[in-house]
Amino acid sequence: MFEQIAAPKGDPILSLITEYRNDPRSDKIDLGIGVYRNDEGITPIMKAVSAAEKLLLAQESTKAYQGLTGDELFNEALQNLLLGTTSALGRTTTLQTPGASGALRNLADLIAATKPDSTVWISNPSYINHRPIMLRAGLKVEEYPYLDPKTKLVNEAAMLAKIAELGADDILLLHGCCHNPSGADISLEAWQQIAALANKNGFLPFVDIAYQGLGNGLEEDAKGMQLLVDQVPEMIISTSCSKNFGLYRERTGAAMIVSNSIEQATNARAKMCELSRGSYSMPPAHGAAIVRTILNDAELNALWRQELDEMNQRVNGLRQALVNEFQTLSQSDRFNYFAQHKGMFSLTGLSDDMIAQLKSEFGIYIVGGGRVNIAGLKESEVTTLAQAFIHVGA
Ligand code: LMR
């Protein structure tokens, strides 16, 4: 049977990890996969996470199954973190999932089981895994205009014009903050207009928020999503603790369902449990236990917020340092977009040739399409990166 399987193309993000590891150069720079690194190039375990793990180890008394919904205290704590100040809280249910990719897939399966003719609209460009996840669930996928390649910012007029055409069979997938891959976020006015359009035309908003706290801070980054959820009758959300808790390999995420009534939301969650039972069964416990411990402990919560703010400040500081360096080297403002972008990524618009040259000549690894993970850069590498960009003709 296996002779029929041709070697698949590697995942464009994940395959870069191996290529980078195998590169013998000591001054190589990895700006590929979206992981935060400190100025020593390490993805640290956050202090709040280590402290929570110690507590858990001391308290844990069983490894028995937790159940299909996962850790209910985690579900509740995460729901409060995302939607705490909104009127939607009382009509929302949350399901722990294996990372946000698990949430995306589980929600896609729910849509396919409930409204199989739905079309999911993703931004152009969007997170590299959005399309395959939706397609594998059997859904149709279309794109709405998003990034203006000239300004590297969102073309909101074009985006809203397309969204205005969506109707009751459409699902609008939005990035809650820190757009992946572009770093360009939509304004609060655009969120407001999307709310009005959803109410008028009946499409379902689907918000994927994987970088809360890494743009302008925890509260600020959730504002657009909260503005929307307060106004629409139904909405779905996927969220991740990979980045803001640094729990990448623990696969910790959640899916949220906001409905007209808590009864409807609860039924939808039960349906998702039925669907997950047919695939991964139930989510892993450890990461969710860490998050629940941190969020429910005043001291750990404060420590985590402080660490997250520091990470955020480091990334924003690097963005400004890059802009300053580029201004000096290029005598122009054409790289100012780095400081206008939010979160870990910036989409640079570099051509495939430029990306290949950066890799071969400088050992600088960037995802195809030109996405740069600013959160992977060291301060000491800012000048090298800027010089290499100018060298390849960016
Ligand atoms: C990324 O975009 O680099 C991350 O979200 C990692 C992933 O799973 O693709």
Side-chain angles (χ1 to χ4, degrees):
M1 148 177 145
F2 302 124
E3 72 279 2
Q4 302 177 50
I5 305 172
K9 273 200 279 149
D11 178 278
I13 295 179
L14 301 180
S15 55
L16 264 194
I17 301 180
T18 323
E19 255 192 272
Y20 177 80
R21 263 190 211 136
N22 294 339
D23 187 333
R25 288 172 284 189
S26 60
D27 56 352
K28 58 190 176 176
I29 302 177
D30 178 10
L31 304 178
I33 193 158
V35 293
Y36 173 86
R37 294 196 198 90
N38 63 20
D39 213 39
E40 281 82 56
I42 291 162
T43 302
I45 300 176
M46 294 173 88
K47 291 191 191 82
V49 167
S50 293
E53 283 186 307
K54 282 203 188 89
L55 283 176
L56 288 168
L57 200 61
Q59 290 164 3
E60 202 173 47
S61 58
T62 181
K63 294 282 186 194
Y65 289 119
Q66 207 156 27
L68 292 172
T69 54
D71 185 327
E72 290 287 27
L73 292 175
F74 162 85
N75 290 338
E76 192 188 331
L78 212 58
Q79 194 172 294
N80 285 330
L81 182 71
L82 266 72
L83 305 179
T85 55
T86 69
S87 58
L89 207 58
R91 52 189 179 93
T92 303
T93 53
T94 298
L95 176 73
Q96 190 201 326
T97 55
S101 292
L104 284 162
R105 178 55 195 260
N106 209 337
L107 287 165
D109 286 340
L110 179 71
I111 298 165
T114 317
K115 241 180 152 190
D117 287 334
S118 303
T119 300
V120 180
W121 290 81
I122 62 173
S123 58
N124 177 18
S126 199
Y127 170 44
I128 217 161
N129 216 8
H130 276 159
R131 179 187 289 276
I133 288 178
M134 298 303 142
L135 289 177
R136 281 190 194 121
L139 297 169
K140 291 187 283 279
V141 178
E142 297 281 354
E143 287 179 350
Y144 59 89
Y146 190 79
L147 198 71
D148 179 338
K150 271 214 189 90
T151 61
K152 312 247 185 326
L153 301 177
V154 185
N155 182 344
E156 290 190 346
M159 175 188 82
L160 290 166
K162 177 47 86 179
I163 292 174
E165 293 172 12
L166 307 193
D169 288 334
D170 294 308
I171 319 276
L172 176 65
L173 182 46
L174 298 155
H175 298 228
C177 63
C178 309
H179 184 268
N180 181 2
S182 73
D185 280 348
I186 60 174
S187 64
L188 284 181
E189 291 76 44
W191 282 101
Q192 180 54 52
Q193 290 194 47
I194 290 169
L197 288 169
N199 284 329
K200 183 165 159 246
N201 299 338
F203 59 81
L204 177 72
F206 182 165
V207 177
D208 184 21
I209 179 158
Y211 299 89
Q212 192 188 357
L214 284 156
N216 285 329
L218 272 177
E219 273 75 30
E220 200 66 21
D221 289 348
K223 273 202 173 137
M225 174 186 66
Q226 292 181 349
L227 191 145
L228 182 59
V229 82
D230 252 335
Q231 298 179 53
V232 293
E234 294 186 338
M235 183 160 131
I236 50 179
I237 301 168
S238 53
T239 188
S240 169
C241 302
S242 295
K243 279 80 181 180
N244 53 10
F245 286 85
L247 287 173
Y248 309 87
R249 63 175 64 174
E250 302 295 354
R251 310 310 302 135
T252 310
M256 295 179 193
I257 294 173
V258 185
S259 190
N260 278 314
S261 71
I262 191 66
E263 290 75 23
Q264 287 177 14
T266 307
N267 285 344
R269 188 175 85 145
K271 183 71 188 169
M272 288 173 83
C273 288
E274 185 188 298
L275 294 165
S276 73
R277 183 68 173 144
S279 58
Y280 61 83
S281 197
M282 60 190 81
H286 188 61
I290 294 169
V291 171
R292 164 257 286 171
T293 305
I294 293 172
L295 292 179
N296 289 332
D297 179 296
E299 237 173 77
L300 290 182
N301 197 323
L303 175 61
W304 167 67
R305 282 170 184 261
Q306 185 196 325
E307 289 180 279
L308 183 58
D309 277 348
E310 284 165 14
M311 287 158 65
N312 195 358
Q313 278 162 26
R314 190 184 105 76
V315 178
N316 289 340
L318 283 163
R319 289 188 172 282
Q320 195 51 55
L322 265 177
V323 167
N324 297 345
E325 194 64 39
F326 273 125
Q327 278 176 350
T328 312
L329 289 176
S330 71
Q331 298 294 312
S332 83
D333 289 341
R334 71 179 192 278
F335 296 98
N336 282 11
Y337 64 84
F338 277 112
Q340 290 166 288
H341 288 166
K342 295 289 165 211
M344 294 165 82
F345 308 121
S346 271
L347 197 65
T348 59
L350 293 193
S351 68
D352 290 350
D353 286 347
M354 291 174 184
I355 294 168
Q357 197 182 347
L358 283 174
K359 195 195 303 178
S360 60
E361 270 188 48
F362 299 92
I364 296 175
Y365 285 73
I366 290 175
V367 180
R371 188 189 80 172
V372 173
N373 176 29
I374 308 286
L377 194 64
K378 294 179 195 158
E379 251 175 71
S380 58
E381 293 166 342
V382 167
T383 306
T384 313
L385 183 71
Q387 283 171 342
F389 262 52
I390 306 273
H391 177 84
V392 301

